[in-house]
Amino acid sequence: MELTESFLRSRKIETLVENRSTFTLDHTELSIFETHQQAENVYLKFSDPVLASMLMGKKIMHLNQHMDFDFLPGESVILPSDEVMCIDFPEASIKNPTKCLAMAFEQARLDKILDNLNEIRPKIDNQEWKFTNSNFHFTNDVAIQHILQRLIFIFTEQHPSKDIFADLMIQELIIRIVQTETKTFYSKNANKLSSNNRIAHVVGYIKENIREHIQVEQLCKIACMSESNFYRVFKEELGLSPIEFIIEERIKLASSLLKNPEFRIKDVYFESGFNSLSYFNRMFKKKFKLSPSEYKHQAATIS
């Protein structure tokens, strides 16, 4: 993501650590933070739920619940209201500043979006759409990345209808985030949830059989749903089709295997459930912008 020219021209640098530029619209506030020197133990807190997304550089985040992680461009984290962040900036400098956006959402607006979603697109098996009340760290998919880029433009431009434009984009952003969280939650808790959630049961089956040839017809039977209904429900709840989810899980497995020096690339694609090396190479590069051999070399270098 890139900051707009209008933002770069208008913002004022008043401090070298977490210099903040703020833009406020109805129900939502966007802040751009820039840090131009190394720093440690910088504390930050928002009174509303917030989405933080890295634009440039690197942070080390220390959150409650003993959650510590490197925060890199293309990643986001959801934080509940009044969550205290402790942040380190190990690499920030004048020439290489760290930049991050933080979008704070009015709780009542979040509740309205989710209430509407639960009314018109309810989950199956009596589940409800909910916005996380704990920390959720994830990698932006292409859709979320594009929405955030568009929102930066909308917030920083001078347009009389930008509240309307932003509200529509934020609705889509919230829905895609809760789909991403649902997908992650099902993946981590498939066995626990499978007894009373059909989609979680399918996710568990896919993960357990990822190396095998998985047919969508079989997944429909496991879910006890018609093919058309299964496709619709699966994509509504997880944000991607069953085939896309299977490929994503196989690529995830392949990326972990490539970090093992004992695995050759032809071993990795086979162990990950792919039956074509060229297809594996194409899907892997689409995800990571690196070929499997480049990824393996980079992982070995880091190690």
Side-chain angles (χ1 to χ4, degrees), residues 88-210:
D88 299 334
F89 301 86
E91 300 174 358
S93 67
I94 295 294
K95 292 184 178 180
N96 184 36
T98 297
K99 299 181 181 181
C100 179
L101 72 79
M103 194 174 302
F105 305 103
E106 186 179 287
Q107 185 65 56
R109 182 58 183 142
L110 277 180
D111 293 340
K112 186 175 180 180
I113 292 172
L114 294 174
D115 287 345
N116 187 49
L117 183 61
N118 279 310
E119 182 177 344
I120 64 174
R121 286 288 186 270
K123 284 186 173 185
I124 63 167
D125 299 328
N126 299 315
Q127 306 295 312
E128 283 194 343
W129 293 106
K130 296 178 181 178
F131 200 69
T132 182
N133 58 2
S134 60
N135 302 318
F136 174 46
H137 176 215
F138 62 97
T139 300
N140 302 334
D141 61 20
V142 173
I144 288 177
Q145 196 81 349
H146 285 173
I147 293 170
L148 291 175
Q149 183 68 72
R150 176 64 178 162
L151 282 170
I152 291 173
F153 176 80
I154 292 172
F155 270 88
T156 56
E157 76 167 334
Q158 299 301 317
H159 195 290
S161 299
K162 65 181 186 177
D163 279 287
I164 300 172
F165 300 153
D167 189 60
L168 294 171
M169 297 297 295
I170 287 167
Q171 288 185 60
E172 181 181 353
L173 177 63
I174 297 304
I175 292 170
R176 288 189 181 274
I177 287 173
V178 294
Q179 287 175 333
T180 300
E181 186 181 20
T182 297
K183 179 180 66 176
T184 302
F185 184 67
Y186 285 177
S187 293
K188 290 182 177 180
N189 301 280
N191 291 335
K192 186 189 305 183
L193 300 170
S194 61
S195 61
N196 58 9
N197 187 299
R198 283 175 283 176
I199 298 301
H201 184 46
V202 169
V203 167
Y205 177 86
I206 291 172
K207 292 175 73 68
E208 289 174 4
N209 296 275
I210 197 64

Side-chain angles (χ1 to χ4, degrees), residues 12-272:
K12 297 179 180 178
I13 304 296
E14 298 178 342
T15 175
L16 294 179
V17 177
E18 290 292 67
N19 187 78
R20 182 177 185 178
S21 304
T22 302
F23 306 86
T24 302
L25 297 179
D26 290 344
H27 316 297
T28 313
E29 179 182 84
L30 174 70
S31 297
I32 305 291
F33 291 92
E34 300 174 86
T35 296
H36 294 80
Q37 67 180 28
Q38 293 182 8
E40 292 183 346
N41 299 326
V42 178
Y43 288 88
L44 191 63
K45 184 175 75 169
F46 291 85
S47 58
D48 294 307
V50 66
L51 165 72
S53 188
M54 281 295 289
L55 304 174
M56 180 178 176
K58 173 184 175 180
K59 291 181 179 182
I60 299 176
M61 301 285 281
H62 309 283
L63 305 178
N64 289 338
Q65 305 169 355
H66 308 289
M67 185 176 180
D68 301 332
F69 57 91
D70 291 349
F71 199 22
L72 303 171
E75 297 179 352
S76 294
V77 61
I78 297 293
L79 302 162
S81 58
D82 296 318
E83 174 81 355
V84 177
M85 294 175 268
C86 178
I87 310 169
D88 299 334
F89 301 86
E91 300 174 358
S93 67
I94 295 294
K95 292 184 178 180
N96 184 36
T98 297
K99 299 181 181 181
C100 179
L101 72 79
M103 194 174 302
F105 305 103
E106 186 179 287
Q107 185 65 56
R109 182 58 183 142
L110 277 180
D111 293 340
K112 186 175 180 180
I113 292 172
L114 294 174
D115 287 345
N116 187 49
L117 183 61
N118 279 310
E119 182 177 344
I120 64 174
R121 286 288 186 270
K123 284 186 173 185
I124 63 167
D125 299 328
N126 299 315
Q127 306 295 312
E128 283 194 343
W129 293 106
K130 296 178 181 178
F131 200 69
T132 182
N133 58 2
S134 60
N135 302 318
F136 174 46
H137 176 215
F138 62 97
T139 300
N140 302 334
D141 61 20
V142 173
I144 288 177
Q145 196 81 349
H146 285 173
I147 293 170
L148 291 175
Q149 183 68 72
R150 176 64 178 162
L151 282 170
I152 291 173
F153 176 80
I154 292 172
F155 270 88
T156 56
E157 76 167 334
Q158 299 301 317
H159 195 290
S161 299
K162 65 181 186 177
D163 279 287
I164 300 172
F165 300 153
D167 189 60
L168 294 171
M169 297 297 295
I170 287 167
Q171 288 185 60
E172 181 181 353
L173 177 63
I174 297 304
I175 292 170
R176 288 189 181 274
I177 287 173
V178 294
Q179 287 175 333
T180 300
E181 186 181 20
T182 297
K183 179 180 66 176
T184 302
F185 184 67
Y186 285 177
S187 293
K188 290 182 177 180
N189 301 280
N191 291 335
K192 186 189 305 183
L193 300 170
S194 61
S195 61
N196 58 9
N197 187 299
R198 283 175 283 176
I199 298 301
H201 184 46
V202 169
V203 167
Y205 177 86
I206 291 172
K207 292 175 73 68
E208 289 174 4
N209 296 275
I210 197 64
R211 293 175 172 86
E212 309 299 326
H213 177 62
I214 301 174
Q215 296 182 317
V216 175
E217 292 81 2
Q218 178 64 21
L219 301 181
C220 297
K221 292 178 181 178
I222 292 171
C224 301
M225 300 168 71
S226 68
E227 187 169 327
S228 59
N229 195 35
F230 174 69
Y231 265 97
R232 179 186 63 79
V233 171
F234 194 98
K235 190 155 190 173
E236 283 181 356
E237 296 209 8
L238 275 67
L240 69 179
S241 72
I243 296 299
E244 290 168 335
F245 180 80
I246 292 168
I247 293 171
E248 184 177 275
E249 287 297 305
R250 286 176 171 161
I251 292 296
K252 189 188 302 182
L253 174 60
S255 66
S256 66
L257 294 176
L258 285 169
K259 295 174 183 177
N260 187 332
E262 296 182 4
F263 278 93
R264 297 172 298 176
I265 290 175
K266 67 178 183 179
D267 299 325
V268 169
Y269 96 85
F270 181 77
E271 287 292 322
S272 304

